[in-house]
Each structure stands twice: as structure tokens, then as C-alpha cells.
């Protein structure tokens, strides 16, 4: 049995079967198929050809082939790691304000229209001395994919609901993302400083969405807070840490890092800039990283306050410089041993992406119509 990925080239298939590519081409010809050396073969062609040479085939997906095996075996040094906590909820319910209060910053003030349009990643040490990595997500309905990614990367979700409003569409969507990702939820009922706040109404609305809070005999921890005055926020953080303790999160800081892309873009002065959440291992300046279909040597790293750092351990968000392009949010980041290995995998992955985008392209060009006629 031959393990083959679909769309392998005729040449590569020949070497897999240990025959000359000319044999493959002439066999194809005798079967009425015109095939050139570098032509990529679809599943049907592969099945016919391998059968002709006496092989059974098993298809593996190209993505599978391009996965980097996680370093195994040296996970003896598992150490406690900080929880990664994603803040989700309906637009304007106070997610960024909550983080601003916790971090003593004013991110909301600098946002266009007061609306978050990306995922922010922050490193926080609570008053009790515990570290938490926070992801701030946009609440606007347009950013569903970003919320889904945020929920996937996270250990715990804080769902913020404004007490002067209601359980809204993106509240429900956020709850759903967290549940699909199997992530524990802590409810923050925000804006309780407002005269129009009605936390009981929120608890009731939540119960109708199958989220019964502890005060009402359910299993979900919740906390009334004000991101404006700070009321209840320390208690909220303690509840999050309690949830983290139950999860007993561990990672080995002593191996090569792996993590996920939170966002990436091209900066005029600095080149490609990527925000990464390190999940295991320690990422260091000088490391060779593969991030989706891109790679590079880490030139410099910065923490969430813009300060230069030389390394970043598990559950730490960092901004890194040195990639040869902008990977997609959500893609895996892996440290590779050699530059060559990283370049090859990145190259194969970008080729795969190109082919996939051609195959899924909905519009047929005039040129293609011409060729079909
Ligand atoms: P998106 O990121 O766009 O989804 O919004 P958000 O959830 O991050 O809300 P944001 O923190 O931007 O707050 C929205 C508005 O609510 C701002 O005007 C805040 O000042 C206000 N706000 C947030 N929290 C509180 C609070 O606890 N009390 C009061 N009174 N106002 C609040
Ligand atoms: Mg926001």
C-alpha cells in the first residue's frame, strides 16, 4: 500500500513507486491520459496509475503531511502555566473597559468609534500575584471568525453582559463558541454602577439560554462588576483563577516553543509584525519559526507594553519581527531546527494554499472558458 497525498506530481508519484517518470507517462498514454512530468494528479488518476503498477493507495491529506510533529518525550519538566482567558460578549458591553481597568490603561479611548476590531493580547499579574494572559475580542457581529479563533486558543472564557442591556445575539454567540470549544465560562455582569442596571434580569435571561449561575443553584460562576468603578473585578479574577486551578494547566518551558498566531500585518517601518501566543516551550530571539505558510528568524520580540524581550515562555503573548510574510490568524507557530526545513515547509504550505484557492475559486475567468471550449 502506498500512502499518497492528492495532487502529487507525476514525477513524485514515480519516485514513490520507484519507477521512472517516463514509465508513468507512457503508461498514462497507453490509458489515453496525457500527463507531463510536473503535472499534479487528481485522486482518480492516482488510483488508476498506482493500480497499473500494482499498488493499492491510501490517501493522506496534504495538510496532514505538512504538519510539524510536536516534540515528544521530553515533557518531563511540566510546570504550572498561567491560564489564557478570552473576554467575549456583545458589542459595547464593556470587554475592553474591563481589561483597561485591570491593566490600568485606556485602550478604549484610542479605538476607532470605540469599537474593537482585532484581538488584543495582554499579560496581567493580579493583586494576588497570579499571572493571567488575556485576549480581548471584538463584540461587533462582523467578527464571528475572530471570536471563534479566540475561543479555540483559550482555557477559560469570560462572557461580559451589560446589566443595563440584555443577553444579546453576540452574547449567545460567544456562549456558543465557548461551549463548542469545551471551555469553562465565567459570567461578568458589567455596568452595575448604572442606575438602570438590572442584574437579576440578566441572570434570568442567561437561565433561558441554559446558563444557570451559581447564585441561582447552577454551575456557572458569575460576578457583578463595574469596569468604570472597578467594583467586583478582583473577585471576578479570583473566580477565574479558581477555574484555572481546576484545569491544572501545565506546560514544559524548556523545549522549543509552539504557539498560535493571534494576528499579523505588514508594518511600513518594521516589516511583518505578528502577535503570537506562546503555548508551550520558550520562544527566543534568534529562533527559526514556521508560522503557517511563512517562516523567518526571530529578529526581535516585544511584550504587550511594547518593551523589548529576549524570550517568552508558555501563556505569554509576544509581538515578533522577522517573518517573511503575514501568517493567518489562528495558524500554528513552531520553532524549527534548521532554516532549510522551515523554508521548505513554508514553501510547500504556500503552494498548497495557492492550489486550494484555485480549486475553490468560484468565478471562472474568460481564459478558462476559452480553454474549456
Ligand atoms: P466592542 O469591543 O466594540 O465589542 O465593545 P466593548 O465590549 O469592548 O465595550 P467598551 O469597553 O468599548 O465599552 C463600551 C462603552 O461602555 C464605553 O463607552 C464604556 O465607557 C462604557 N462602559 C464599559 N463598562 C462600563 C461600566 O462598568 N459602567 C459604565 N457606566 N460604563 C461602562
Ligand atoms: Mg472592545
Amino acid at each position: 500500500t502506498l500512502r499518497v497525498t492528492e495532487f502529487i506530481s507525476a514525477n513524485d508519484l514515480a519516485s514513490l513507486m520507484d519507477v521512472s517518470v517516463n514509465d508513468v507517462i507512457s503508461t498514462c498514454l497507453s490509458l489515453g491520459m496525457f500527463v507531463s512530468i510536473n503535472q499534479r494528479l487528481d485522486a482518480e488518476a492516482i488510483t488508476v496509475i498506482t493500480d497499473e503498477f500494482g499498488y493499492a493507495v491510501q490517501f493522506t491529506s496534504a495538510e496532514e503531511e505538512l504538519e510539524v510533529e510536536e516534540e515528544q518525550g521530553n515533557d518531563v519538566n511540566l510546570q504550572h502555566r498561567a491560564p489564557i482567558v478570552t473576554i467575549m460578549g456583545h458589542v459595547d458591553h464593556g470587554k475592553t473597559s474591563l481589561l483597561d481597568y485591570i491593566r490600568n490603561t485606556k485602550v478604549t479611548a484610542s479605538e476607532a468609534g470605540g469599537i474593537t476590531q482585532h484581538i488584543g493580547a495582554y499579560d496581567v499579574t493580579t493583586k494576588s500575584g497570579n499571572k493571567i494572559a488575556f485576549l480581548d475580542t471584538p463584540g461587533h457581529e462582523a467578527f464571528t471568525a475572530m471570536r471563534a479563533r479566540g475561543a479555540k486558543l483559550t482555557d477559560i472564557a469570560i462572557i461580559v453582559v451589560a446589566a443595563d442591556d440584555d443577553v444579546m445575539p453576540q452574547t449567545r454567540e460567544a456562549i456558543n463558541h465557548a461551549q463548542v470549544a469545551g471551555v469553562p465560562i465565567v459570567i461578568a455582569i458589567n455596568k452595575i454602577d448604572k442606575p438602570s442596571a438590572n442584574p437579576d434580569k440578566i441572570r434570568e435571561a442567561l437561565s433561558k439560554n441554559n446558563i444557570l449561575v451559581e447564585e441561582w443553584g447552577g454551575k456557572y460562576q458569575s460576578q457583578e462588576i463595574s469596569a468604570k468603578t472597578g467594583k467586583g473585578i478582583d473577585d471576578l479574577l479570583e473566580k477565574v483563577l479558581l477555574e484555572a486551578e481546576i484545569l491544572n494547566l501545565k506546560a514544559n518551558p524548556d523545549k522549543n516553543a509552539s504557539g498560535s498566531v493571534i494576528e499579523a500585518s505588514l508594518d511600513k517601518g518594521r516589516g511583518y509584525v505578528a502577535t503570537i501566543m506562546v503555548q508551550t516551550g520558550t520562544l527566543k530571539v534568534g529562533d527559526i519559526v514556521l508560522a503557517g505558510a511563512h517562516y523567518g528568524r526571530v529578529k526581535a520580540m516585544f511584550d504587550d507594553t511594547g518593551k523589548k524581550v529576549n524570550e517568552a515562555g508558555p501563556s505569554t503573548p509576544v509581538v515578533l519581527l522577522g517573518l517573511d510574510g503575514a501568517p493567518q490568524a489562528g495558524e500554528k507557530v513552531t520553532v524549527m531546527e534548521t532554516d532549510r526545513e522551515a523554508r521548505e515547509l513554508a514553501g510547500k504550505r504556500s503552494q498548497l494554499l495557492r492550489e486550494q484557492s484555485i480549486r475553490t475559486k468560484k468565478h471562472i475567468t474568460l481564459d478558462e472558458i476559452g480553454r474549456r471550449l
Side-chain angles (χ1 to χ4, degrees):
T1 307
L2 219 54
R3 282 170 62 85
V4 181
T5 62
E6 202 178 342
F7 302 109
I8 189 174
S9 72
N11 198 22
D12 289 347
L13 184 61
S15 36
L16 260 186
M17 297 188 298
D18 210 13
V19 297
S20 84
V21 68
N22 286 331
D23 282 350
V24 170
I25 293 173
S26 55
T27 303
C28 288
L29 261 180
S30 70
L31 295 168
M33 294 192 290
F34 293 95
V35 166
S36 61
I37 294 185
N38 290 315
Q39 184 169 337
R40 297 185 165 264
L41 307 165
D42 61 17
E44 201 187 328
I46 294 168
T47 314
V48 172
I49 296 166
T50 48
D51 185 54
E52 221 31 52
F53 285 89
Y55 290 97
V57 313
Q58 187 192 349
F59 287 102
T60 60
S61 77
E63 286 90 344
E64 240 173 81
E65 294 282 294
L66 297 180
E67 286 281 317
V68 180
E69 291 262 333
E70 268 233 20
E71 223 180 300
Q72 298 287 340
N74 62 349
D75 272 350
V76 277
N77 187 23
L78 283 181
Q79 289 179 21
H80 166 83
R81 69 167 176 88
I84 301 171
V85 177
T86 300
I87 305 192
M88 296 195 287
H90 197 73
V91 67
D92 274 353
H93 278 196
K95 300 173 290 295
T96 306
S97 302
L98 168 59
L99 266 173
D100 273 342
Y101 189 89
I102 295 171
R103 301 174 60 231
N104 197 12
T105 51
K106 289 196 165 55
V107 172
T108 37
S110 63
E111 290 179 329
I115 285 185
T116 305
Q117 307 198 31
H118 70 130
I119 296 188
Y122 308 103
D123 217 356
V124 166
T125 305
T126 66
K127 281 181 192 149
S128 55
N130 292 287
K131 274 188 56 166
I132 301 177
F134 278 107
L135 295 178
D136 182 19
T137 63
H140 191 278
E141 57 181 335
F143 302 112
T144 298
M146 248 185 245
R147 283 186 291 274
R149 278 197 297 270
K152 247 164 87 184
L153 181 62
T154 199
D155 300 306
I156 297 163
I158 295 181
I159 308 279
V160 175
V161 197
D164 66 339
D165 197 3
D166 205 338
V167 167
M168 299 296 281
Q170 271 63 52
T171 317
R172 280 192 286 272
E173 192 203 285
I175 290 170
N176 190 257
H177 284 310
Q179 287 176 334
V180 167
V183 169
I185 292 171
V186 177
I187 302 287
I189 302 178
N190 190 30
K191 307 198 187 184
I192 48 154
D193 60 282
K194 283 197 159 185
S196 54
N198 186 353
D200 265 334
K201 176 183 153 195
I202 302 299
R203 283 185 277 267
E204 164 143 25
L206 285 167
S207 74
K208 287 190 182 133
N209 286 278
N210 281 321
I211 300 285
L212 196 57
V213 297
E214 274 183 343
E215 291 83 348
W216 285 17
K219 66 169 183 179
Y220 291 93
Q221 297 198 86
S222 80
Q223 179 64 45
E224 293 181 14
I225 62 164
S226 166
K228 192 176 170 190
T229 69
K231 193 165 178 237
I233 292 181
D234 286 341
D235 293 325
L236 173 69
L237 295 183
E238 288 311 310
K239 287 180 179 175
V240 167
L241 288 168
L242 186 69
E243 211 68 62
E245 215 170 285
I246 298 167
L247 293 173
N248 192 22
L249 304 163
K250 292 204 185 309
N252 177 1
D254 295 331
K255 63 177 184 181
N256 278 341
S258 70
S260 295
V261 177
I262 292 169
E263 58 190 14
S265 60
L266 179 59
D267 182 286
K268 274 190 194 131
R270 300 191 294 172
Y272 289 100
V273 178
T275 306
I276 308 290
M277 179 66 79
V278 179
Q279 290 169 289
T280 64
T282 299
L283 187 63
K284 302 184 185 86
V285 170
D287 277 349
I288 297 156
V289 292
L290 173 69
H294 296 282
Y295 81 106
R297 189 179 286 274
V298 181
K299 269 200 291 202
M301 293 198 292
F302 305 90
D303 70 10
D304 60 340
T305 64
K307 209 181 87 205
K308 243 187 161 134
V309 292
N310 287 320
E311 41 178 67
S315 305
T316 313
V318 278
V319 172
L320 75 81
L321 308 185
L323 288 175
D324 70 343
Q328 311 264 319
E331 284 186 315
K332 273 205 84 170
V333 180
T334 332
V335 169
M336 307 296 286
E337 287 301 332
T338 67
D339 195 65
R340 184 167 155 229
E341 205 185 354
R343 186 175 51 232
E344 273 179 18
L345 271 174
K348 283 185 186 162
R349 284 178 178 178
S350 36
Q351 176 162 15
L352 182 71
L353 285 177
R354 273 196 304 275
E355 283 167 7
Q356 279 172 344
S357 77
I358 289 168
R359 251 180 282 141
T360 55
K361 206 165 53 178
K362 289 193 190 72
H363 305 287
I364 301 174
T365 61
L366 276 177
D367 183 43
E368 281 169 318
I369 292 174
R371 265 185 275 139
R372 282 181 190 201
L373 290 174

